[in-house]
Amino acid sequence: QVQLVESGGGLVQAGDSPRLTCVASSGHPLNIYAMSWFRQAPGKEREFVARIAWRNAITYYADSVKGRFIISRDNAKNTMYLQMNTLRPEDTAIYYCALATRVDSNYMSPSANDYWGQGTQVTVSS
């Protein structure tokens, strides 16, 4: 079974620029089409943050983070990163790592992903 583990969250101040990491592992060779970051704040639905295609590293960003966040990957390590720059209090959420094994035109939907991590809390104080 595929396991995804996020790390790098915590309590930060507005303007800080931490980096989140997601490491994927499996008992079998991984077939990664793309990996994504989602986030969910209390009382709100899970929302798309960013996605990166595994083969060509083409990226997609939500408008709310475009220009501030950078998604990247190291395919040799089955690892994905999210560099979050100049964080704002409204960025506070649990950040989830997701893995897709197939193409899906609705890539911003949680249903496009096959595996999920348990999330890492990012709290941005003002």
Side-chain angles (χ1 to χ4, degrees):
Q1 185 67 280
V2 175
Q3 292 185 339
L4 304 175
V5 180
E6 304 96 335
S7 63
L11 178 61
V12 299
Q13 294 182 343
D16 285 354
S17 300
R19 186 178 74 165
L20 303 183
T21 299
C22 173
V23 179
S25 62
S26 176
H28 301 279
L30 281 172
N31 178 29
I32 304 175
Y33 180 79
M35 292 182 69
S36 300
W37 290 98
F38 289 76
R39 66 186 183 185
Q40 188 167 21
K44 301 181 68 175
E45 294 184 346
R46 189 167 301 186
E47 67 173 351
F48 170 78
V49 175
R51 180 180 175 98
I52 184 165
W54 216 248
R55 178 175 290 274
N56 57 20
I58 291 177
T59 59
Y60 305 85
Y61 294 93
D63 289 342
S64 59
V65 305
K66 191 175 300 181
R68 292 192 299 126
F69 290 11
I70 302 172
I71 189 171
S72 62
R73 60 96 172 95
D74 185 338
N75 55 9
K77 298 180 178 180
N78 290 333
T79 300
M80 176 180 64
Y81 307 94
L82 185 67
Q83 178 63 55
M84 304 183 294
N85 296 313
T86 58
L87 282 178
R88 306 163 180 168
E90 54 263 41
D91 294 316
T92 294
I94 301 175
Y95 283 72
Y96 294 94
C97 173
L99 186 155
T101 63
R102 52 185 166 80
V103 64
D104 194 318
S105 60
N106 297 317
Y107 61 86
M108 292 188 294
S109 171
S111 64
N113 301 281
D114 303 294
Y115 302 99
W116 293 85
Q118 289 195 307
T120 183
Q121 176 72 49
V122 176
T123 302
V124 185
S125 66
S126 60

